[in-house]
Amino acid sequence: SERVAELQEENIKLREEKSFLEGSLKETEERRKALKEEKDKTEKQAEELRSNMLGKVEGFGAVLVEMKKSLDILEEKQSKVELMSTELTTRHMNVLLRNVIDKVPQKWE
């Protein structure tokens, strides 16, 4: 009879411990699930950020390429303008020289 009472008491303690452990397991599972959701959410945000930054870098690269093209065109135009300016100066000097030569009396020729 005493042994039955001890076994019943031990059985009650084991059931309480089992109930506690099941509750603890359930809490752990819920926390694990919440952490997994948070991890997935964080990874998704990180991927979106990476993608966004990549897009910005690619966009910036495209802008740099366009700027380089514009600079090349400007350099080409500047070279042409300098060449035309030199030609105009040369022509102007030729015209001035001809005018001076035309005014010099024939005996100097």
Side-chain angles (χ1 to χ4, degrees):
S1 174
E2 218 177 282
R3 179 77 179 132
V4 171
E6 285 177 10
L7 288 173
Q8 284 178 336
E9 195 176 307
E10 191 175 330
N11 191 12
I12 290 170
K13 286 181 182 176
L14 286 173
R15 284 184 183 183
E16 287 173 355
E17 191 175 336
K18 178 186 173 202
S19 178
F20 172 78
L21 288 173
E22 285 174 342
S24 189
L25 178 65
K26 185 177 180 184
E27 284 178 22
T28 302
E29 283 296 317
E30 288 172 359
R31 262 189 275 147
R32 187 191 66 76
K33 183 180 175 186
L35 285 172
K36 184 183 181 320
E37 288 173 359
E38 188 65 30
K39 177 185 165 241
D40 292 347
K41 182 179 168 185
T42 302
E43 285 177 350
K44 183 179 178 189
Q45 288 174 339
E47 184 56 38
E48 287 173 359
L49 185 61
R50 259 192 303 271
S51 177
N52 189 9
M53 291 305 291
L54 242 173
K56 287 183 180 179
V57 167
E58 288 172 356
F60 186 64
V63 167
L64 288 177
V65 167
E66 288 304 312
M67 288 176 69
K68 173 75 169 96
K69 287 179 185 175
S70 294
L71 281 174
D72 290 346
I73 290 170
L74 283 174
E75 285 178 3
E76 187 179 326
K77 286 182 178 180
Q78 182 180 4
S79 294
K80 287 179 181 176
V81 166
E82 288 172 354
L83 187 63
M84 288 185 341
S85 174
T86 302
E87 285 178 16
L88 286 174
T89 303
T90 304
R91 285 183 191 161
H92 184 69
M93 291 302 290
N94 281 339
V95 167
L96 286 176
L97 279 172
R98 280 198 188 114
N99 285 342
V100 168
I101 289 172
D102 287 348
K103 290 180 181 171
V104 170
Q106 294 293 327
K107 62 181 177 177
W108 292 99
E109 287 183 7

